[in-house]
mmCIF file of all heavy atoms in Angstrom:
data_model
loop_
_atom_site.group_PDB
_atom_site.id
_atom_site.type_symbol
_atom_site.label_atom_id
_atom_site.label_comp_id
_atom_site.label_asym_id
_atom_site.label_seq_id
_atom_site.Cartn_x
_atom_site.Cartn_y
_atom_site.Cartn_z
ATOM 1 N N GLU A 22 52.343 127.220 -35.748
ATOM 2 C CA GLU A 22 52.101 125.875 -35.936
ATOM 3 C C GLU A 22 53.458 125.066 -35.979
ATOM 4 O O GLU A 22 53.598 124.163 -36.771
ATOM 5 C CB GLU A 22 51.116 125.449 -37.187
ATOM 6 C CG GLU A 22 49.882 126.200 -37.197
ATOM 7 C CD GLU A 22 48.750 125.577 -36.197
ATOM 8 O OE1 GLU A 22 49.199 124.706 -35.580
ATOM 9 O OE2 GLU A 22 47.710 126.176 -36.343
ATOM 10 N N ASP A 102 44.224 123.567 -43.441
ATOM 11 C CA ASP A 102 44.837 124.087 -42.125
ATOM 12 C C ASP A 102 46.211 123.446 -42.067
ATOM 13 O O ASP A 102 46.499 122.361 -42.550
ATOM 14 C CB ASP A 102 43.926 123.733 -41.045
ATOM 15 C CG ASP A 102 42.635 124.536 -40.987
ATOM 16 O OD1 ASP A 102 42.513 125.424 -41.883
ATOM 17 O OD2 ASP A 102 41.719 124.344 -40.080
ATOM 18 N N ALA A 103 46.999 124.103 -41.154
ATOM 19 C CA ALA A 103 48.343 123.632 -41.106
ATOM 20 C C ALA A 103 48.491 122.681 -39.810
ATOM 21 O O ALA A 103 49.597 122.207 -39.462
ATOM 22 C CB ALA A 103 49.352 124.916 -40.770
ATOM 23 N N ASP A 104 47.396 122.484 -39.125
ATOM 24 C CA ASP A 104 47.662 121.752 -37.733
ATOM 25 C C ASP A 104 47.454 120.278 -37.748
ATOM 26 O O ASP A 104 47.348 119.699 -36.802
ATOM 27 C CB ASP A 104 46.588 122.477 -36.782
ATOM 28 C CG ASP A 104 45.192 122.349 -37.377
ATOM 29 O OD1 ASP A 104 44.931 121.771 -38.372
ATOM 30 O OD2 ASP A 104 44.196 122.887 -36.604
ATOM 31 N N LEU A 105 47.477 119.625 -39.025
ATOM 32 C CA LEU A 105 47.342 118.327 -39.217
ATOM 33 C C LEU A 105 46.011 117.810 -38.845
ATOM 34 O O LEU A 105 45.770 116.552 -38.863
ATOM 35 C CB LEU A 105 48.454 117.486 -38.326
ATOM 36 C CG LEU A 105 49.896 117.748 -38.833
ATOM 37 C CD1 LEU A 105 50.822 117.240 -37.829
ATOM 38 C CD2 LEU A 105 50.208 116.994 -40.155
ATOM 39 N N GLN A 106 45.001 118.638 -38.626
ATOM 40 C CA GLN A 106 43.623 118.072 -38.502
ATOM 41 C C GLN A 106 42.987 117.663 -39.828
ATOM 42 O O GLN A 106 42.135 116.782 -39.838
ATOM 43 C CB GLN A 106 42.797 119.072 -37.650
ATOM 44 C CG GLN A 106 43.222 119.384 -36.272
ATOM 45 C CD GLN A 106 42.117 119.996 -35.493
ATOM 46 O OE1 GLN A 106 42.130 121.320 -35.400
ATOM 47 N NE2 GLN A 106 41.335 119.408 -34.852
ATOM 48 N N ASP A 107 43.314 118.378 -40.862
ATOM 49 C CA ASP A 107 42.946 118.010 -42.121
ATOM 50 C C ASP A 107 43.892 117.013 -42.726
ATOM 51 O O ASP A 107 45.126 117.107 -42.594
ATOM 52 C CB ASP A 107 42.962 119.191 -43.067
ATOM 53 C CG ASP A 107 41.943 120.232 -42.689
ATOM 54 O OD1 ASP A 107 41.045 119.934 -41.975
ATOM 55 O OD2 ASP A 107 42.201 121.458 -42.974
ATOM 56 N N ASP A 135 36.756 117.681 -31.985
ATOM 57 C CA ASP A 135 36.981 118.892 -31.106
ATOM 58 C C ASP A 135 36.175 118.919 -29.907
ATOM 59 O O ASP A 135 35.169 118.155 -29.930
ATOM 60 C CB ASP A 135 36.644 120.179 -32.037
ATOM 61 C CG ASP A 135 37.789 120.540 -32.978
ATOM 62 O OD1 ASP A 135 38.912 120.358 -32.605
ATOM 63 O OD2 ASP A 135 37.580 120.959 -34.057
ATOM 64 N N LYS A 139 32.990 123.509 -28.665
ATOM 65 C CA LYS A 139 33.123 124.175 -29.936
ATOM 66 C C LYS A 139 32.292 123.496 -30.981
ATOM 67 O O LYS A 139 31.816 124.341 -31.943
ATOM 68 C CB LYS A 139 34.617 123.843 -30.203
ATOM 69 C CG LYS A 139 35.325 124.736 -31.227
ATOM 70 C CD LYS A 139 36.748 124.509 -31.213
ATOM 71 C CE LYS A 139 37.198 125.047 -32.639
ATOM 72 N NZ LYS A 139 38.549 125.304 -32.522
ATOM 73 N N HIS A 204 38.802 113.922 -40.181
ATOM 74 C CA HIS A 204 39.187 115.019 -39.255
ATOM 75 C C HIS A 204 40.053 114.469 -38.022
ATOM 76 O O HIS A 204 39.474 113.648 -37.429
ATOM 77 C CB HIS A 204 38.014 115.825 -38.766
ATOM 78 C CG HIS A 204 38.431 117.078 -38.012
ATOM 79 N ND1 HIS A 204 37.894 117.297 -36.722
ATOM 80 C CD2 HIS A 204 39.156 118.187 -38.456
ATOM 81 C CE1 HIS A 204 38.418 118.479 -36.357
ATOM 82 N NE2 HIS A 204 39.147 119.094 -37.377
ATOM 83 N N HIS A 205 41.104 114.859 -37.910
ATOM 84 C CA HIS A 205 42.045 114.374 -36.762
ATOM 85 C C HIS A 205 41.959 115.386 -35.535
ATOM 86 O O HIS A 205 41.802 116.587 -35.727
ATOM 87 C CB HIS A 205 43.489 114.232 -37.202
ATOM 88 C CG HIS A 205 43.551 113.236 -38.416
ATOM 89 N ND1 HIS A 205 43.355 111.971 -38.107
ATOM 90 C CD2 HIS A 205 44.013 113.416 -39.582
ATOM 91 C CE1 HIS A 205 43.579 111.250 -39.363
ATOM 92 N NE2 HIS A 205 43.958 112.243 -40.291
ATOM 93 N N ARG A 207 43.575 117.654 -32.728
ATOM 94 C CA ARG A 207 44.744 118.502 -32.574
ATOM 95 C C ARG A 207 45.693 117.835 -31.688
ATOM 96 O O ARG A 207 45.394 117.753 -30.486
ATOM 97 C CB ARG A 207 44.441 119.793 -32.165
ATOM 98 C CG ARG A 207 45.333 120.813 -32.871
ATOM 99 C CD ARG A 207 45.124 122.342 -32.140
ATOM 100 N NE ARG A 207 44.781 123.354 -33.169
ATOM 101 C CZ ARG A 207 45.845 124.002 -33.652
ATOM 102 N NH1 ARG A 207 46.975 123.634 -33.479
ATOM 103 N NH2 ARG A 207 45.515 124.952 -34.581
ATOM 104 N N VAL A 211 47.858 124.972 -30.208
ATOM 105 C CA VAL A 211 46.565 125.214 -29.716
ATOM 106 C C VAL A 211 45.576 125.854 -30.697
ATOM 107 O O VAL A 211 46.056 126.384 -31.653
ATOM 108 C CB VAL A 211 46.547 126.156 -28.388
ATOM 109 C CG1 VAL A 211 47.199 125.477 -27.219
ATOM 110 C CG2 VAL A 211 47.233 127.487 -28.844
ATOM 111 N N SER A 212 44.345 125.600 -30.547
ATOM 112 C CA SER A 212 43.399 126.217 -31.424
ATOM 113 C C SER A 212 43.296 127.746 -31.203
ATOM 114 O O SER A 212 43.377 128.185 -30.120
ATOM 115 C CB SER A 212 41.910 125.596 -31.103
ATOM 116 O OG SER A 212 40.966 126.348 -31.772
ATOM 117 N N LYS A 213 43.154 128.378 -32.396
ATOM 118 C CA LYS A 213 43.116 129.854 -32.403
ATOM 119 C C LYS A 213 41.544 130.355 -32.332
ATOM 120 O O LYS A 213 41.349 131.531 -32.236
ATOM 121 C CB LYS A 213 43.732 130.350 -33.514
ATOM 122 C CG LYS A 213 45.288 130.485 -33.417
ATOM 123 C CD LYS A 213 45.890 129.145 -33.911
ATOM 124 C CE LYS A 213 47.283 128.965 -33.389
ATOM 125 N NZ LYS A 213 47.816 127.650 -33.634
ATOM 126 N N TYR A 214 40.660 129.422 -32.533
ATOM 127 C CA TYR A 214 39.309 129.837 -32.520
ATOM 128 C C TYR A 214 38.468 129.246 -31.491
ATOM 129 O O TYR A 214 38.214 128.164 -31.489
ATOM 130 C CB TYR A 214 38.718 129.440 -34.025
ATOM 131 C CG TYR A 214 39.255 130.271 -35.086
ATOM 132 C CD1 TYR A 214 40.154 129.570 -35.944
ATOM 133 C CD2 TYR A 214 38.967 131.483 -35.211
ATOM 134 C CE1 TYR A 214 40.749 130.311 -36.981
ATOM 135 C CE2 TYR A 214 39.535 132.303 -36.318
ATOM 136 C CZ TYR A 214 40.448 131.616 -37.114
ATOM 137 O OH TYR A 214 40.935 132.308 -38.207
HETATM 138 MG MG1 MG B 402 42.518 123.180 -36.235
#
Side-chain angles (χ1 to χ4, degrees):
E22 304 285 5
D102 291 353
D104 54 4
L105 292 169
Q106 290 198 270
D107 297 336
D135 275 324
K139 209 167 150 153
H204 186 239
H205 299 293
R207 208 186 231 281
V211 288
S212 169
K213 281 88 197 171
Y214 291 107

